Amino acid sequence: MGVLRFNHHSEVLGMYTDITVTYPTGKYTYNMTCPSENQMGEPGKLRKCYQPGMKLPTVYLMHGGGDDDTTFQRMSRVEFYAEQNNVMTVTPQVKDSFFLDTKYGIRYFTYITEELPVLIRSLFASSPEREDNFVVGMAMGGNGALEVSMRRPDLYAACVDLSGGIGCSIDTDNLVEQIKTIQSLPKLQGAFGNPDQIPGSEFDLAVYAKHNMQEQIPVPELFLAVGKDDFIRDVVRRDRDALLKMGYSLTYEEPEGYSHDWIFWDAYLKKTFYEWLPIRNR
């Protein structure tokens, strides 16, 4: 797998920021010469040929709270899973912003949904087709994946929310309650601002979710999962229930014996890449 940590100046953020990009360039995927019977990668699977102008399906990975753009590569086998399924990955650095245009003035949501896709498609071999773009997040990033999927459903074919319990929620009352009661996370209050002003605001995902259903806007396929022993489990259930009540179809799993850690996230990243994401020409 080819790996690049790319630092660039963001006009939207008004500062330099980091992105980690991976490419399927290893011995299991691409050749300089076109495939033939003696150029096998995986048993029974022909390796692909590099082509000028080729475009790859792209998985945007949303990191968790306290993490950065390198965490997926350091803590999981996501590079291997991506290479095996012939996709590139993009992990932006968003600090602990909850993927919002924050109340303290840094516009991470705008960066993720407007500037970043243009940058990636301009400088890298990323497919511009919605059918080839997916968003996957864990913990804070799970909420972020759900947030960008509800607010910009035109960007992604599928959304995977793993253990997404803190941040934007389909259950508005739950989000307001969190901001008011979780005093150990001042960054939560700093990003969202006054919790009493959230209902009906840009931070209220229920508004976008209801609008999508009412206007019959195509939304990404939705996959939610959380370990049965995860402390955030009940919050994920509330998002699940709110979506189902609105009429959304989704896949939900709550496996026994898993908690809020990389043992669970790695296992479900594997499921995500091999089973859940509707990757074309994998």
Side-chain angles (χ1 to χ4, degrees), residues 71-277:
T71 308
F72 277 97
Q73 281 66 41
R74 290 186 288 110
M75 301 298 289
S76 77
R77 299 189 72 202
V78 71
E79 287 180 32
F80 180 75
Y81 305 148
E83 182 177 66
Q84 291 276 295
N85 289 281
N86 193 38
V87 298
M88 63 177 286
T89 70
V90 176
T91 311
Q93 162 68 275
V94 303
K95 307 296 184 182
D96 280 358
S97 66
F98 304 94
F99 299 86
L100 305 175
D101 282 354
T102 64
K103 284 297 185 180
Y104 53 80
I106 301 183
R107 299 185 297 153
Y108 279 103
F109 178 81
T110 301
Y111 169 68
I112 292 292
T113 59
E114 295 185 19
E115 185 177 17
L116 181 64
V118 173
L119 176 78
I120 294 299
R121 293 167 190 172
S122 299
L123 300 182
F124 301 95
S126 174
S127 170
E129 302 298 327
R130 178 180 183 267
E131 291 77 13
D132 291 327
N133 285 270
F134 317 98
V135 61
V136 178
M138 40 71 65
M140 180 188 77
N143 290 87
L146 197 58
E147 174 190 353
V148 298
S149 294
M150 289 295 109
R151 295 181 63 182
R152 289 297 308 272
D154 57 303
L155 294 179
Y156 315 102
C159 163
V160 179
D161 171 358
L162 304 177
S163 312
I166 297 180
C168 280
S169 174
I170 306 297
D171 187 322
T172 308
D173 292 339
N174 173 56
L175 175 58
V176 171
E177 179 185 346
Q178 280 189 336
I179 297 172
K180 287 182 175 180
T181 59
I182 303 178
Q183 299 302 318
S184 59
L185 273 180
K187 62 189 75 174
L188 190 65
Q189 289 81 10
F192 283 94
N194 184 349
D196 292 326
Q197 295 179 0
I198 286 177
S201 75
E202 64 183 300
F203 300 150
D204 189 347
L205 285 196
V207 171
Y208 299 96
K210 290 174 183 175
H211 175 75
N212 293 336
M213 292 300 291
Q214 291 168 354
E215 299 299 320
Q216 299 183 328
I217 295 172
V219 297
E221 291 186 54
L222 297 174
F223 302 87
L224 281 70
V226 63
K228 193 171 287 289
D229 298 331
D230 194 328
F231 73 94
I232 213 76
R233 180 199 63 196
D234 292 346
V235 179
V236 180
R237 287 178 176 177
R238 291 176 71 161
D239 268 339
R240 174 202 64 189
D241 294 345
L243 285 165
L244 291 173
K245 186 175 181 180
M246 291 180 193
Y248 281 87
S249 60
L250 56 87
T251 297
Y252 178 82
E253 293 192 10
E254 193 177 285
E256 298 273 2
Y258 285 104
S259 186
H260 197 80
D261 56 35
W262 280 100
I263 297 173
F264 170 70
W265 297 323
D266 184 62
Y268 268 76
L269 283 169
K270 183 177 182 180
K271 178 182 282 285
T272 291
F273 279 85
Y274 287 89
E275 300 178 28
W276 282 352
L277 295 183

Side-chain angles (χ1 to χ4, degrees), residues 8-40:
H8 77 104
H9 185 270
S10 163
E11 288 184 49
V12 169
L13 300 179
M15 61 184 176
Y16 281 89
T17 188
D18 293 312
I19 310 165
T20 294
V21 177
T22 70
Y23 272 117
T25 60
K27 63 181 181 179
Y28 298 112
T29 47
Y30 283 94
N31 261 352
M32 289 298 294
T33 54
C34 290
S36 65
E37 290 184 4
N38 63 352
Q39 292 170 336
M40 307 296 286

